[in-house]
Amino acid sequence: MMIGAVMEQYPSTIGVFKKWFGQGCFSCPGAKNEDIAFGSMMHNVELDKVLGELNIAIKTDTGS
């Protein structure tokens, strides 16, 4: 899923992206065209860690 789409659909994930990818994620035009795996690679972070925290944040938005 594209980073921008995740942030738009699940606002609670914004903090996770800020933590792992920094503030630039919000002004970067690539956020709409880059997926989470590519962002993780570009920021040299472990994809599994990012996905784990994103899944927890998404549960907050969905009430699951």
Side-chain angles (χ1 to χ4, degrees):
M1 201 165 180
M2 300 302 155
I3 295 168
V6 173
M7 291 190 291
E8 186 176 318
Q9 189 170 353
Y10 305 104
S12 64
T13 62
I14 292 172
V16 177
F17 286 112
K18 281 183 182 178
K19 173 184 174 183
W20 291 104
F21 298 168
Q23 294 288 342
C25 214
F26 305 96
S27 60
C28 175
K32 294 186 187 233
N33 302 315
E34 294 172 358
D35 62 26
I36 300 165
F38 183 78
S40 295
M41 181 185 70
M42 291 301 295
H43 292 276
N44 199 31
V45 296
E46 291 183 40
L47 177 60
D48 289 340
K49 290 182 180 181
V50 176
L51 291 177
E53 289 188 28
L54 287 172
N55 285 326
I56 291 168
I58 287 169
K59 287 181 183 179
T60 300
D61 284 330
T62 62
S64 299

